[in-house]
Amino acid sequence: MPTEESGHDLRHHGDAEVRDDGSALVDLAVNVRADTPPAWLREHIAKSLTGLAAYPDGRDARAAVAARHGVPVERVLLTAGAAEAFVLLARALKVRRPVVVHPQFTEPEAALRDAGHTVDRVLLREADGFRLDPAAVPEDADLVVIGNPTNPTSVLHPAGSVAQLARPGRTLVVDEAFMDAVPGERAALAGRTDVPGLVVLRSLTKTWGLAGLRIGYVLAAPETVAELERAQPLWPVSTPALAAARACVAPRALAEAAHAAHRIAADRAHLVTGLASFAERGVRVVSPAEGPFVLVRVPGAAEVRRRLRDLGFAVRRGDTFPGLDGEWIRMAVRDRATTNHFLHALASAVADPH
């Protein structure tokens, strides 16, 4: 059901494509990295279970995240995934005119609406490659939310362009949930302390396959962190999630994530090349894609999605994202063998039924 006044189903997410009768499908709808969490991380989390009788103590995990980004611990808030952070921002900050830059992850707008805010949208255009024009954001916006790289477009906005959105008296929220899938994390603002009002959100669920554990964090000025922390319930992050946070920001994990980012880039290039072969059928990929997923315009996308399901593949519908219509689908980047099977299925799904 569409979120009130939104005109889009802001609560629809990729996991809906693979629930129930979709559980046996090859999952290209959810952007969690395949074959995760790795065995070493599962073992690390399992060891934490011996401490479940004690209340969670997040100090060590908070310090580890702070060290990973080179900031004081007062600038870090651990959350039950990035989604909790959106709720905290919507409820804790005094906001007059929030603006969300779309198309992007819909949970920030849904959280703001649920908190009673009227939300304005800046819609980036396909004709511009869904690229950010900082001048399009109203000057009087006192909260601006943007994803980078952006879900679902896979566009990576230059750090300088995003930083241009900062203003005195404005909170600039940058969702960097997929930044660790970008080689070198170029364009990242995490760790920057010179951008006024900057709030960066990071998720550990996508790269490490921890969506069921719920772990992420906020990087912001100490006074903003304190405001958000006051809105949290006691012990919001579980002991296993804290153990995961410590492990995922350790040098070994950062090296593994960096390697995975390069592999994802190569696998994405293979997918994009394959999709280009369908150009004569009107299939268009938003390019250059920089995240672990791609956004594709496909004529008759709803029917193509249905045929793909019949052929064993789940992809993410695009029409629930403001700024997109029913001709868009999003698909996660997977290994080459999976992609080749998918491209074969897509050839059947887009074939003229007559």
Side-chain angles (χ1 to χ4, degrees), residues 123-162:
L123 300 180
L124 305 183
R125 303 186 323 131
E126 179 189 3
D128 300 326
F130 295 109
R131 307 213 154 268
L132 172 66
D133 175 8
V137 176
E139 278 295 324
D140 62 344
D142 59 351
L143 175 72
V144 177
V145 184
I146 186 169
N148 203 32
T150 303
N151 170 21
T153 63
S154 207
V155 169
L156 183 68
H157 306 293
S161 296
V162 178

Side-chain angles (χ1 to χ4, degrees), residues 27-144:
D27 180 8
L28 304 183
V30 174
N31 292 326
V32 173
R33 183 161 63 99
D35 301 321
T36 52
W40 66 263
L41 181 54
R42 292 198 303 271
E43 292 168 6
H44 190 85
I45 294 168
K47 289 178 182 177
S48 74
L49 300 182
T50 60
L52 292 186
Y55 285 95
D57 183 346
R59 289 176 295 178
D60 287 349
R62 191 176 183 186
V65 170
R68 182 255 193 270
H69 290 287
V71 298
V73 292
E74 294 79 15
R75 297 186 71 94
V76 176
L77 182 68
L78 302 173
T79 59
E84 187 206 2
F86 291 125
V87 173
L88 296 175
L89 288 162
R91 295 179 179 178
L93 301 186
K94 297 176 178 62
V95 177
R96 299 183 316 279
R97 188 179 183 189
V99 170
V100 178
V101 180
H102 285 290
Q104 79 149 354
F105 183 51
T106 53
E107 198 60 29
E109 180 171 326
L112 286 162
R113 290 181 179 277
D114 287 347
H117 298 288
T118 299
V119 182
D120 289 329
R121 296 172 176 169
V122 170
L123 300 180
L124 305 183
R125 303 186 323 131
E126 179 189 3
D128 300 326
F130 295 109
R131 307 213 154 268
L132 172 66
D133 175 8
V137 176
E139 278 295 324
D140 62 344
D142 59 351
L143 175 72
V144 177

Side-chain angles (χ1 to χ4, degrees), residues 58 64 67 81 93 120 140 143 147 170-171 181 188-189 191 206-207 210 232 235 239 263 278 282 354:
L93 301 186
D120 289 329
D140 62 344
L143 175 72
R170 171 186 288 177
T171 299
L189 292 178
K206 310 298 191 302
T207 288
L210 299 174
Q232 277 186 313
W235 312 292
T239 295
R263 187 174 68 249
F278 297 97
H354 305 296

Side-chain angles (χ1 to χ4, degrees), residues 134-224:
V137 176
E139 278 295 324
D140 62 344
D142 59 351
L143 175 72
V144 177
V145 184
I146 186 169
N148 203 32
T150 303
N151 170 21
T153 63
S154 207
V155 169
L156 183 68
H157 306 293
S161 296
V162 178
Q164 283 181 45
L165 295 174
R167 300 281 189 281
R170 171 186 288 177
T171 299
L172 171 59
V173 179
V174 184
D175 176 8
E176 291 188 353
F178 295 100
M179 189 62 78
D180 58 356
V182 176
E185 293 196 5
R186 68 187 190 282
L189 292 178
R192 292 274 297 270
T193 60
D194 60 324
V195 180
L198 177 64
V199 176
V200 174
L201 308 185
R202 284 287 181 110
S203 169
L204 296 173
T205 64
K206 310 298 191 302
T207 288
W208 296 109
L210 299 174
L213 195 62
R214 312 307 308 140
I215 179 64
Y217 54 88
V218 177
L219 301 171
E223 55 271 23
T224 301

